């Protein structure tokens, strides 16, 4: 049996050493090493999207991989791709690290400097385990497999640009089309999703921050089931408690949600914190909401540059959504794209606060009229992002917009923007701008 091995090694010299040894292993098929955690997850997700059989049996994770720390990366790979045997490569051979690696989901630890005998034993052991798991899954066991759900983060260029309204409506569009959806409020100090949807719930994301192994039952206890069908994970009522949610716990929470729901929409607000930074880095698509005015566009540019400096997200991997768009404004989406270096969404959201005022004031944003041009634009954006199920009839007819979803006339567009590799170069402003 041929063992497919994917090394994740950030150090050039270490990558060369690992590749040399792997090429000597019997019946081994080593792939070209990936240089960071983002590239590893993207590669595995792409392979799983084509076919689960294309996933490697073994993934080697070097201790100096980044930007996500090695143990957290192992935990994420184990959660999202449970049929892969992960082996940690490290110079630290203490019992404490070995225990932590096992708790994270590693199937073995190889010490540095690498030795042929140890590498052979660990790789073969992990490969045999992987084959056994896949055989068990192919027999029809009810176990989660695959790359998991789609994670969309929504951030604001500054406060008040409409990030929360965008996040809520995107989640509603995906849920109404038939997907299971979690809406997460990761604006930890000033989250308002509960107010927009008139929800009072004693549990919040903080309740998951100290749990190292988030089981489905623990997750369901922290999530509020909204009448609209959305699963809500709210921000803490006391803003100072937001500091309890670290970047590590945020990664675990997002991974747990991804494994349980088809779509996870995360409202990150306009302030960058460790938790929101981790979510943005893990997201399949990161949205940045701005309005077509100088102050907001400057804020968007400043935020994009900060993400790049901190190695959270590259500008070209970010999708900018223009909210409160007016046709005759001097600042058009094309100009915003040029200034920020991001891709702008094909759909611009028109300026029409009168449509929103009554449902916002009453905390009934989920009851926004389907004739609303704002709702139609945001639901079209959801289709553009590919997080809705387009009706089969609409697919066959080649229609640009989906039909009715559960008696709701909100317009849902066809997918145009993908994740990090998507192409959204064609711009079109939504009709109905005032």
């Amino acid at each position: 049996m041929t063992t497919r091995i994917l090394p994740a090694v950030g150090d050039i010299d270490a990558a060369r050493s690992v590749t040399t040894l792997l090429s000597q292993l019997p019946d081994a098929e080593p792939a070209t090493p990936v240089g960071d955690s983002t590239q590893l997850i993207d590669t595995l997700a792409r392979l799983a999207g084509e076919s689960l059989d294309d996933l490697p049996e073994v993934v080697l994770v070097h201790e100096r991989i980044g930007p996500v720390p090695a143990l957290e990366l192992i935990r994420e790979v184990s959660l999202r791709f449970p049929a892969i045997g992960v082996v940690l490569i490290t110079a630290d051979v203490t019992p404490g690290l070995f225990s932590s690696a096992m708790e994270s989901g590693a199937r073995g630890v190889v010490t540095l400097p690498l030795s042929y005998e140890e590498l052979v034993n660990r790789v073969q052991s992990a490969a045999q385990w992987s084959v056994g798991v896949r055989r068990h899954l192919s027999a029809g066991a009810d176990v989660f497999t695959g790359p998991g759900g789609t994670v969309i983060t929504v951030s604001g260029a500054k406060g008040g640009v409409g990030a929360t309204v965008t996040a809520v409506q995107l989640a509603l569009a995906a849920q109404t089309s038939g997907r299971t959806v979690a809406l997460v409020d990761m604006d930890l100090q000033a989250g308002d999703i509960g107010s927009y949807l008139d929800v009072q719930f004693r549990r919040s994301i903080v309740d998951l921050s100290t749990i190292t192994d988030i089981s489905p039952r623990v997750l369901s206890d922290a999530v509020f089931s909204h009448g609209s069908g959305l699963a809500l994970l709210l921000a803490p009522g006391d803003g100072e408690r937001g500091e309890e949610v670290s970047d590590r716990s945020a990664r675990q929470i997002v991974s747990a949600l991804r494994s349980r729901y088809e779509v996870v929409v995360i409202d990150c607000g306009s302030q960058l914190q460790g938790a929101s930074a981790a979510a943005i880095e893990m997201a399949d698509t990161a949205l940045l909401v701005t309005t077509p005015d100088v102050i907001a566009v400057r804020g968007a540019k400043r935020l994009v540059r900060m993400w790049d400096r901190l190695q959270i997200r590259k500008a070209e991997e970010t999708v900018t959504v223009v909210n409160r768009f007016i046709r005759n404004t001097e600042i058009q989406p094309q100009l915003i794209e040029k200034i920020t270096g991001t891709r702008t969404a094909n759909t611009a959201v028109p300026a029409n606060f009168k449509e929103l005022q009554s449902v916002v004031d009453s905390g009934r944003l989920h009851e926004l009229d389907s004739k609303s041009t704002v709702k139609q634009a945001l639901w079209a954006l959801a289709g553009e992002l590919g997080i809705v199920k387009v009706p089969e009839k609409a697919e066959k007819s080649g229609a640009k917009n989906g039909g009715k979803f559960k008696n709701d006339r909100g317009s849902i567009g066809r997918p145009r923007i993908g994740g990090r590799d998507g192409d959204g170069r064609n711009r079109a402003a939504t009709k109905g701008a005032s």
Side-chain angles (χ1 to χ4, degrees), residues 282-357:
M282 293 178 66
D284 297 288
T285 301
L287 299 182
L288 178 58
V289 181
T290 186
T291 49
D293 59 83
V294 173
I295 302 301
V297 174
R298 283 179 178 172
K301 180 180 180 181
R302 182 170 58 244
L303 191 60
V304 167
R305 287 184 172 181
M306 181 167 61
W307 288 357
D308 190 40
R309 290 194 303 271
L310 297 177
Q311 297 184 342
I312 297 170
R313 199 92 182 182
K314 295 180 181 179
E316 59 268 23
E317 296 174 349
T318 302
V319 179
T320 298
V321 177
V322 182
N323 189 26
R324 299 173 196 153
F325 176 75
I326 301 175
R327 290 173 182 268
N328 58 1
T329 184
E330 293 183 5
I331 301 179
Q332 293 290 316
Q334 294 89 341
L335 178 59
I336 294 174
E337 182 174 86
K338 183 177 181 180
I339 292 173
T340 61
T342 63
R343 294 182 289 120
T344 55
N346 295 337
T347 306
V349 184
N352 200 334
F353 182 72
K354 288 183 179 179
E355 296 178 351
L356 297 171
Q357 187 168 8

Side-chain angles (χ1 to χ4, degrees), residues 221-281:
D221 287 342
V223 168
F224 178 82
S225 297
H226 191 258
S228 63
L230 296 177
L232 305 180
L233 185 57
L234 303 175
D238 300 323
E240 65 273 16
R241 296 202 63 193
E243 297 180 359
E244 299 177 30
V245 185
S246 66
D247 56 342
R248 179 176 181 179
S249 58
R251 292 183 189 281
Q252 295 175 0
I253 292 168
V254 172
S255 294
L257 289 166
R258 190 199 294 267
S259 69
R260 187 175 177 83
Y261 297 93
E262 293 179 272
V263 177
V264 181
V265 180
I266 305 175
D267 179 7
C268 294
S270 59
Q271 298 296 319
L272 186 66
Q273 300 170 324
S276 58
I280 293 167
E281 195 276 331

Side-chain angles (χ1 to χ4, degrees), residues 169 195-198 353-369:
Q169 288 298 325
S195 298
Y196 276 102
L197 297 177
D198 193 24
F353 182 72
K354 288 183 179 179
E355 296 178 351
L356 297 171
Q357 187 168 8
S358 62
V359 293
V360 168
D361 290 345
S362 62
R364 311 291 294 178
L365 187 57
H366 54 290
E367 295 181 356
L368 180 61
D369 193 327

Side-chain angles (χ1 to χ4, degrees), residues 17-292:
S17 175
V18 169
T19 302
T20 300
L21 277 179
L22 290 178
S23 64
Q24 300 173 18
L25 298 185
D27 298 323
E29 186 180 304
T32 303
V34 296
D36 57 51
S37 57
T38 300
Q39 190 177 358
L40 173 63
I41 295 298
D42 286 350
T43 300
L44 294 177
R46 176 178 53 80
L47 293 173
E50 295 172 358
S51 172
L52 293 177
D53 294 333
D54 292 337
L55 287 170
E57 283 76 24
V58 180
V59 168
L60 300 177
V61 176
H62 191 271
E63 63 179 353
R64 295 174 60 185
I65 196 71
V68 177
L71 292 181
E72 294 182 21
L73 179 60
I74 291 173
R75 183 182 297 275
E76 184 175 355
V77 171
S78 300
L79 283 171
R80 295 183 60 181
F81 312 96
I84 293 178
V86 187
V87 176
L88 173 65
I89 302 175
T90 178
D92 186 356
V93 292
T94 62
L97 177 81
F98 184 85
S99 177
S100 297
M102 295 301 104
E103 290 177 359
S104 297
R107 302 307 305 174
V109 177
V110 178
T111 57
L112 292 170
L114 294 174
S115 71
Y116 176 81
E117 298 267 345
E118 185 180 20
L119 187 61
V120 168
N121 291 335
R122 298 297 179 269
V123 167
Q124 288 182 346
S125 176
Q128 290 173 0
W129 177 86
S130 174
V131 171
V133 171
R134 296 182 191 203
R135 187 181 299 116
H136 175 67
L137 294 178
S138 64
D142 186 16
V143 180
F144 175 81
T145 59
T150 300
V151 176
I152 308 286
T153 57
V154 184
S155 305
K158 67 180 187 65
V161 296
T164 300
V165 171
T166 300
V168 171
Q169 288 298 325
L170 290 178
L172 288 170
Q175 191 279 328
T176 304
S177 74
R179 296 192 182 278
T180 57
V181 182
L183 176 59
V184 184
D185 198 339
M186 210 169 276
D187 188 357
L188 298 176
Q189 292 184 345
D192 280 326
I193 285 180
S195 298
Y196 276 102
L197 297 177
D198 193 24
V199 172
Q200 293 182 349
F201 190 53
R202 62 187 179 87
R203 294 193 179 276
S204 72
I205 192 172
V206 172
D207 294 298
L208 299 175
S209 62
T210 59
I211 300 175
T212 56
D213 186 12
I214 304 176
S215 66
R217 181 173 181 177
V218 170
L219 185 63
S220 64
D221 287 342
V223 168
F224 178 82
S225 297
H226 191 258
S228 63
L230 296 177
L232 305 180
L233 185 57
L234 303 175
D238 300 323
E240 65 273 16
R241 296 202 63 193
E243 297 180 359
E244 299 177 30
V245 185
S246 66
D247 56 342
R248 179 176 181 179
S249 58
R251 292 183 189 281
Q252 295 175 0
I253 292 168
V254 172
S255 294
L257 289 166
R258 190 199 294 267
S259 69
R260 187 175 177 83
Y261 297 93
E262 293 179 272
V263 177
V264 181
V265 180
I266 305 175
D267 179 7
C268 294
S270 59
Q271 298 296 319
L272 186 66
Q273 300 170 324
S276 58
I280 293 167
E281 195 276 331
M282 293 178 66
D284 297 288
T285 301
L287 299 182
L288 178 58
V289 181
T290 186
T291 49

